[in-house]
Amino acid sequence: FINDKLQIEYDEEKGQTHIYAPLSGKQGVYGVYQIVIPTLLRLANSEIQFIKDISGMIGRAIERTTLYQSSNKRASDLQNINIASHELNLSLHIHDISETVKKHIFNSCYADQIGIVLFENEFCDKSTHILEESTDYFKTEDGEMFIDSIHHEMKVNRKPFFSGTYESEVVDFPYKSLMALPMNSSDAIIGMIVITHPNPYYFSFDTFKFIQKYVQHAALAFTNSSLTERLKRLATTDYLTKLYSRNHMDDLIKSHMQENGQGAFILFDVDDFKKVNDTYGHYVGDKVLIQVANAIKAEMEDNQIAARWGGEEFAVYLPGADIIDSTEKAEQIRKRVNKETDPRVTLSCGVSVWTKYQEDSIEQLFIRADKALYEAKSTGKNKVVQNVC
């Protein structure tokens, strides 16, 4: 019938004549019109032509209806993509983007579970990071194992998955219908979106193609978010040590002094650092600075801030800390640096504190720490000195 030919068959056992007329339009064949005559009948050419004319009329009517519905569907899909794309561009925050992605996928295909996953990126240290906006299944142990298995397959094949009878070899997967679509950025796959439903053959191929288009826009939004976060980090961190920059620490301390009751500032200087550069070269000197920064980072707690102050100087700010807490923290860092650097270096440390009960400023806080550091350097180095005035 794809060849658009009418077919007549005779069932002598039942005494019937079967006529199969293709329902064809200008662009293709859309079905078959079956006529059953309860007798064996030889049709005249005019009767055959009449059946062809009728089936042709029906075929063209179906074609017009199909094209009209297809046109409406394309227009609707384009409108939905435009709306979704606009909403994706309203925010550069990764969690806002994820919420928008989830909402539009649910509205498009009425999925049961949606997993939004990023691959090997700055948001995490794992090879896959399942975003918190993903639905419940992907936050279970089985869900994470399933994501890892799909991630491995996608890295190898670099193609989307579409199945109505999916069976996992890794976990007891409770879903039959599966769409797993990669998010591509240039030549790299930055993540994927996994969509499931427990019913077999739940998603149509048209739905799959539409979601593919939408995922391309989602990938662009996630890429823009990633680039924005990277630029922010470049603006607020030191390129060598990956600690905060001095300017960014200044802003954080100023904000804290306006809103809280007390805090402590510690200024560190690597003793005799020029000798390291002169003896081993600047490349080794840079490695030592990185080692010092890593030792400081290892001692930081959630709300504590570390920065490269300049050259071989480092700084730490401890919100809410008093002179005892801050001196203890400075000693811990000094000892750790002494133990973990190669070639071994020592630190001189100056500590200052502020409280809301005394008139103070960020400049005076820095000056007091600098004076304490000078005293530590001039009285033997490798020590911690307080300045509480």
Side-chain angles (χ1 to χ4, degrees):
F1 302 108
I2 296 299
N3 294 325
D4 194 19
K5 293 183 178 180
L6 183 141
Q7 183 174 328
I8 301 174
E9 294 181 355
Y10 298 98
D11 188 340
E12 296 184 357
E13 184 177 338
K14 294 183 179 180
Q16 295 178 341
T17 301
H18 293 188
I19 303 172
Y20 301 96
L23 304 175
S24 57
K26 293 182 179 180
Q27 298 186 10
V29 178
Y30 298 91
V32 176
Y33 183 56
Q34 181 189 34
I35 303 171
V36 179
I37 303 173
T39 185
L40 298 175
L41 182 65
R42 300 292 176 181
L43 297 176
N45 290 336
S46 60
E47 293 172 325
I48 293 174
Q49 187 60 47
F50 175 76
I51 293 172
K52 287 182 178 179
D53 291 343
I54 290 294
S55 62
M57 290 174 57
I58 296 172
R60 289 190 294 275
I62 292 173
E63 182 175 69
R64 287 194 296 270
T65 302
T66 301
L67 290 174
Y68 176 75
Q69 291 175 341
S70 176
S71 176
N72 284 346
K73 181 68 167 59
R74 288 194 183 97
S76 175
D77 286 351
L78 182 60
Q79 183 180 24
N80 290 334
I81 287 289
N82 287 337
I83 292 171
S85 178
H86 174 72
E87 291 188 19
L88 285 170
N89 291 325
L90 289 177
S91 173
L92 287 171
H93 195 282
I94 187 172
H95 297 297
D96 292 337
I97 295 170
S98 300
E99 282 291 355
T100 300
V101 167
K102 184 170 71 172
K103 179 185 74 174
H104 282 282
I105 289 177
F106 268 129
N107 291 341
S108 299
C109 64
Y110 305 102
D112 187 77
Q113 298 286 329
I114 297 174
I116 306 170
V117 186
L118 296 179
F119 298 159
E120 296 169 352
N121 57 78
E122 64 270 23
F123 295 105
C124 65
D125 296 326
K126 296 168 57 180
S127 60
T128 61
H129 176 46
I130 302 172
L131 299 185
E132 62 185 52
E133 288 73 25
S134 302
T135 52
D136 292 341
Y137 174 76
F138 295 104
K139 299 172 185 177
T140 65
E141 184 176 345
D142 278 358
E144 292 180 0
M145 290 175 61
F146 174 73
I147 288 296
D148 287 341
S149 67
I150 290 291
H151 173 224
H152 176 72
E153 290 186 51
M154 193 164 285
K155 282 206 305 185
V156 173
N157 298 321
R158 304 180 68 84
K159 294 180 180 179
F161 296 91
F162 177 60
S163 175
T165 56
Y166 187 82
E167 292 184 5
S168 173
E169 299 178 356
V170 178
V171 297
D172 184 14
F173 193 61
Y175 304 99
K176 289 297 183 183
S177 294
L178 169 70
M179 294 188 286
L181 304 113
M183 291 190 286
N184 297 301
S185 178
S186 299
D187 294 330
I189 300 177
I190 64 167
M192 66 180 174
I193 295 177
V194 181
I195 307 165
T196 69
H197 197 279
N199 294 345
Y201 303 107
Y202 184 78
F203 305 121
S204 69
F205 188 71
D206 284 344
T207 298
F208 173 62
K209 300 302 289 184
F210 171 76
I211 297 295
Q212 271 189 301
K213 295 176 183 176
Y214 177 63
V215 167
Q216 292 174 6
H217 290 270
L220 180 61
F222 279 118
T223 300
N224 289 339
S225 174
S226 170
L227 292 173
T228 301
E229 290 298 318
R230 192 177 302 166
L231 287 173
K232 286 180 180 177
R233 278 193 295 277
L234 289 173
T236 60
T237 58
D238 172 62
Y239 78 98
L240 178 66
T241 63
K242 303 302 182 286
L243 296 177
Y244 281 125
S245 66
R246 177 172 178 169
N247 288 340
H248 187 60
M249 174 175 265
D250 285 356
D251 293 339
L252 294 174
I253 296 176
K254 285 177 183 176
S255 175
H256 187 266
M257 291 182 77
Q258 292 172 359
E259 300 172 1
N260 295 275
Q262 68 178 27
F265 179 72
I266 309 172
L267 196 56
F268 301 92
D269 185 82
V270 180
D271 296 325
D272 302 315
F273 184 68
K274 186 176 182 301
K275 290 183 180 179
V276 175
N277 282 333
D278 291 345
T279 304
Y280 301 100
H282 289 277
Y283 175 75
V284 173
D286 285 347
K287 289 182 64 176
V288 169
L289 293 177
I290 294 171
Q291 291 170 8
V292 172
N294 290 338
I296 293 173
K297 280 188 281 189
E299 292 292 339
M300 293 295 96
E301 298 174 15
D302 289 342
N303 64 337
Q304 297 173 349
I305 306 162
R308 186 179 182 189
W309 201 246
E312 64 269 25
E313 287 189 329
F314 298 85
V316 166
Y317 182 69
L318 310 176
D322 58 21
I323 192 64
I324 296 175
D325 296 333
S326 53
T327 301
E328 181 179 344
K329 178 67 70 174
E331 281 288 356
Q332 290 171 352
I333 293 172
R334 184 188 66 80
K335 291 176 181 177
R336 189 172 196 129
V337 167
N338 197 10
K339 184 187 301 183
E340 296 183 358
T341 50
D342 182 24
R344 188 176 71 86
V345 295
T346 61
L347 294 182
S348 295
C349 320
V351 180
S352 63
V353 296
W354 70 273
T355 72
K356 64 180 180 180
Y357 302 108
Q358 292 181 331
E359 187 175 343
D360 210 341
S361 68
I362 189 170
E363 290 80 9
Q364 290 301 315
L365 182 70
F366 294 164
I367 289 171
R368 292 197 299 274
D370 193 51
K371 287 181 178 179
L373 174 61
Y374 178 79
E375 183 179 340
K377 299 286 282 187
S378 60
T379 57
K381 304 176 183 177
N382 192 23
K383 63 171 66 174
V384 176
V385 173
Q386 307 168 351
N387 187 334
V388 294
C389 297

